[in-house]
Amino acid sequence: MNVVTERIVQLGMLVFILGGWQLGVTAGFIDVFFFPAPLDIFNQIVSWIVDPGFYRHVSITLTETVLGYIIGTGLGVAAGVWLGLSRSAARILDPFIKGLNAIPRVVLAPIFVLWLGLGLWSKVALAVTLVFFITFFNAMQGVREVNPVILANAKILGAKRSELLRHVYFPAAASWILSSLRTSVGFAVVGAIIGEYLGSSAGLGYLIAQAEGNFDAVGVFAGIIILAIFVLIIDRILDVLEGRLIKWRPNAAEERAA
């Protein structure tokens, strides 16, 4: 099956699902209180898009997501590489890391609100905690999976520690790290949205919470779809980044040809 055929099948599935949903609402089989009509959701999204004030909510949520994503990823990769290289430090910190990872992130949200207030940084902090451990464990495992033969050869050739990091450890861990980046995108969004649910005056989470408080299912579904579009856009950016950073990996066309 080629790419064009796959896209046609995907489009057909989308039309079938949305068309069936719309027909179910029109025929009265689906209660609009719980599942509003797709056309109503679409109209709500359009009304938000044409409203200039909507982009303030978008920019706030996007800022919280991006900051939490970048900070959490940076800290997670740095800590993962460090503990991946230092087995003794990893053994010492292991019970503390497992204990912190066992804490449900949602219960940390009120604490961050107390510490950092209702502004931007309490949401960013929650997003960081959600992203950190995903990238941390993947980076640490990726470093530990380095081929010992390649590492020994690099040392024989006189590679310094910084050169080993650049030319051996990071390339070996790149697949692990990029895989965690893809997974953690959604968690960064979740952190921002949960923080806005607990207390905010703007943001997409605020819009969804406001719609929920008014029993407005159309607004809730519209907000969810916009958040999903955000994640898909970031995921596409990661696809491009992965293609540039991991040039040795065969692309999908080559895999199918093989």
Side-chain angles (χ1 to χ4, degrees):
M1 186 179 294
N2 57 35
V3 176
V4 176
T5 305
E6 291 174 353
R7 295 294 178 266
I8 293 174
V9 172
Q10 290 173 344
L11 182 60
M13 292 176 62
L14 181 62
V15 171
F16 176 77
I17 293 171
L18 294 180
W21 185 353
Q22 183 67 42
L23 288 174
V25 171
T26 304
F29 295 120
I30 299 177
D31 190 345
V32 294
F33 182 80
F34 299 104
F35 294 96
L39 286 178
D40 293 337
I41 298 172
F42 176 77
N43 291 333
Q44 178 65 69
I45 293 174
V46 172
S47 67
W48 280 348
I49 292 175
V50 298
D51 180 11
F54 171 69
Y55 295 96
R56 174 173 173 266
H57 297 285
V58 173
S59 63
I60 289 174
T61 300
L62 188 59
T63 301
E64 295 164 353
T65 301
V66 171
L67 286 175
Y69 185 70
I70 293 175
I71 296 173
T73 298
L75 293 175
V77 170
V81 171
W82 171 47
L83 294 183
L85 295 175
S86 178
R87 298 298 181 99
S88 59
R91 287 192 295 270
I92 293 172
L93 296 177
D94 181 68
F96 301 100
I97 293 171
K98 289 180 178 178
L100 291 173
N101 188 40
I103 299 174
R105 309 297 186 272
V106 177
V107 302
L108 295 176
I111 297 176
F112 291 140
V113 170
L114 290 174
W115 290 350
L116 303 172
L118 294 173
L120 172 76
W121 290 106
S122 60
K123 287 76 174 177
V124 173
L126 183 58
V128 168
T129 61
L130 288 166
V131 172
F132 171 81
F133 285 101
I134 298 174
T135 54
F136 165 75
F137 287 116
N138 277 272
M140 183 171 65
Q141 189 62 35
V143 169
R144 291 181 176 180
E145 292 290 331
V146 172
N147 191 321
V149 176
I150 297 176
L151 185 61
N153 289 338
K155 290 180 178 179
I156 291 173
L157 293 173
K160 299 178 181 178
R161 188 175 184 83
S162 59
E163 293 172 334
L164 289 174
L165 282 172
R166 180 180 177 184
H167 298 292
V168 178
Y169 287 112
F170 277 117
S175 296
W176 292 80
I177 294 172
L178 287 172
S179 175
S180 68
L181 295 183
R182 191 179 302 277
T183 305
S184 60
V185 169
F187 285 94
V189 176
V190 168
I193 296 302
I194 290 177
E196 290 173 355
Y197 256 87
L198 290 177
S200 66
S201 58
L204 293 177
Y206 168 77
L207 290 180
I208 296 174
Q210 194 175 44
E212 181 184 355
N214 294 326
F215 297 98
D216 178 14
V218 174
V220 174
F221 274 86
I224 292 172
I225 290 173
I226 290 174
L227 290 175
I229 292 172
F230 274 167
V231 175
L232 290 175
I233 291 173
I234 298 175
D235 187 71
R236 180 56 185 164
I237 294 173
L238 290 175
D239 277 338
V240 176
L241 181 63
E242 185 175 1
R244 291 180 178 274
L245 292 180
I246 308 182
K247 298 182 181 297
W248 47 263
R249 175 178 293 178
N251 57 37
E254 291 174 345
E255 289 177 353
R256 281 194 295 268

